[in-house]
Amino acid sequence: MQNEHRMELFACRASENFAAKVVNEINSLGPIGSDVLKLGEYEVSQFSDGEFQPSFNQSVRGATVFIIQSTFPSSDNLMELLLAIDAAKRASADKVIAVMPYFGWARQDRKDKPRVSIGAKLVANLLKAAGADRVMTCDLHADQIQGFFDFPVDHIYASRVFIPYIKSLNLKNLAIAAPDMGGAKRANAYAKELACPVIICHKSRERANVVASITAIGDVEGKDIVIIDDLIDTAGTLCKAADVLMGKGANSVMACATHAVLSGKAYDNIKNSSLTHVFVTDTIPLSSDPSKDKSKIKVVSMSATFAKIIRKVHNYEPISTEFIF
């Protein structure tokens, strides 16, 4: 009977630090079963041609297995997660839950031009084919991606940590801004919770990752503005929006973005922008390169939120109380 509802939690290589924090948070809430939860024994064998093979160095038979891995580039991170799920299923795990703090390929959620893939749907299919029984993720680029899955998806919102943090800043003339029209719904939800006005930035693109122009819609003058977004990639849109808002008379501009992809010249763009601070979560680790200037970037951890929801999912408890919107 002891093994019928056993939890095992493992971390793939890209999310080891985040997983360690999640385990500590779970244990801080009290033991699960008779033992203190520990991060499972897991290793990856590397072949000389770049191929790799994950393996579990302990039994997972009959257990509910949580595998934590964000699938930011490179694609090896996604492949490692898929192989780990397959390994757990073949080792007779009862259930395998993919915990994906950052769900990669989410920006490919539709055909926006002819003859392109819908990457988010393909990833959903791959997770099912690998044997996942459930996915837990945070701030999908588009909420409707949940419909790509034929099994449960726990969609966690970073508003759970960002809204209390914004309140703690005690900004006198707070306004929430969306960096583009696609983020209007998210920004409006934050503004409603914070009882403040919304500003919408309308952008046009020359091509992917290159913004041609941005126009701000709303009352900007004298406002302390927080731009809300789901991710920062090159930071081109974010920094240009901040510059436009400051040019229209904003008192200050900062940003909250869930996923710190931060590719290309993102760190330099943020450093040289009008932004005073950029708040991100730890769903993706910041670069370890000491030459990257992180002075304006502050990390707000999602580990406690994931820990609570992992614990509740394992114990078949409702999780609706963990969502702000």
Side-chain angles (χ1 to χ4, degrees):
M1 293 294 289
Q2 187 177 2
N3 291 330
E4 285 186 4
H5 194 49
R6 187 171 99 252
M7 176 197 286
E8 299 289 355
L9 194 149
F10 297 90
C12 293
R13 291 174 294 179
S15 295
E16 289 175 341
N17 291 338
F18 183 78
K21 288 189 284 185
V22 168
V23 168
N24 288 337
E25 292 288 351
I26 290 173
N27 287 325
S28 73
L29 298 171
I32 293 180
S34 58
D35 299 320
V36 173
L37 182 66
K38 295 181 180 179
L39 205 55
E41 297 177 14
Y42 168 90
E43 67 177 359
V44 178
S45 302
Q46 195 82 33
F47 298 95
S48 62
D49 64 350
E51 184 180 328
F52 54 86
Q53 182 182 53
S55 61
F56 300 101
N57 295 337
Q58 64 185 71
S59 174
V60 296
R61 183 178 297 274
T64 299
V65 175
F66 293 82
I67 303 175
I68 300 180
Q69 175 81 318
S70 281
T71 54
F72 53 91
S74 72
S75 56
D76 281 359
N77 291 332
L78 172 61
M79 191 65 189
E80 183 180 343
L81 175 61
L82 296 171
L83 290 170
I85 292 168
D86 182 71
K89 274 295 186 182
R90 293 179 187 278
S92 301
D94 180 42
K95 293 179 182 176
V96 179
I97 299 173
V99 181
M100 303 170 70
Y102 172 69
F103 184 89
W105 283 265
R107 285 175 282 184
Q108 300 179 44
D109 62 331
R110 66 196 185 285
K111 286 187 69 175
D112 57 352
K113 59 183 179 181
R115 298 175 296 280
V116 296
S117 66
I118 302 180
K121 173 59 177 169
L122 175 60
V123 171
N125 289 344
L126 289 170
L127 289 164
K128 182 179 180 181
D133 296 290
R134 189 184 197 101
V135 161
M136 190 177 295
T137 190
C138 179
D139 274 3
L140 288 166
H141 189 62
D143 288 350
Q144 61 267 26
I145 290 174
Q146 296 172 73
F148 291 173
F149 294 87
D150 295 324
F151 50 78
V153 176
D154 298 312
H155 187 203
I156 300 167
Y157 294 102
S159 57
R160 182 73 181 175
V161 296
F162 277 148
I163 286 178
Y165 195 85
I166 293 170
K167 287 179 178 178
S168 74
L169 298 175
N170 295 316
L171 299 172
K172 292 181 180 179
N173 297 305
L174 175 64
I176 296 296
D180 51 38
M181 298 300 288
K185 179 182 176 183
R186 181 181 292 107
N188 187 63
Y190 272 75
K192 184 177 179 181
E193 188 71 25
L194 293 164
C196 68
V198 180
I199 299 162
I200 306 296
C201 296
H202 177 265
K203 73 179 177 184
S204 60
R205 285 193 184 274
E206 289 182 356
R207 57 186 184 276
N209 292 130
V210 178
V211 179
S213 64
I214 292 181
T215 304
I217 305 167
D219 184 12
V220 174
E221 190 167 353
K223 294 292 193 294
D224 294 302
I225 299 172
V226 180
I227 302 173
I228 303 295
D229 211 350
D230 63 311
L231 62 86
I232 307 175
D233 191 352
T234 64
T237 297
L238 182 65
C239 294
K240 197 159 189 174
D243 293 342
V244 167
L245 293 167
M246 287 300 291
K248 284 183 169 288
N251 183 49
S252 66
V253 181
M254 57 188 71
C256 290
T258 309
H259 308 298
V261 178
L262 299 177
S263 67
K265 296 181 179 180
Y267 287 93
D268 289 337
N269 289 340
I270 291 170
K271 175 188 174 184
N272 299 323
S273 73
S274 302
L275 291 160
T276 57
H277 294 91
V278 174
F279 305 106
V280 299
T281 74
D282 49 358
T283 58
I284 299 175
L286 296 181
S287 172
S288 58
D289 184 349
S291 68
K292 304 287 188 184
D293 192 318
K294 309 178 187 75
S295 57
K296 288 186 177 182
I297 302 172
K298 178 175 176 58
V299 178
V300 182
S301 183
M302 286 292 296
S303 58
T305 301
F306 270 88
K308 288 178 184 177
I309 294 178
I310 287 172
R311 189 183 181 93
K312 288 189 173 189
V313 166
H314 178 69
N315 291 328
Y316 301 101
E317 297 174 1
I319 62 174
S320 56
T321 56
E322 298 303 320
F323 296 93
I324 289 181
F325 60 77

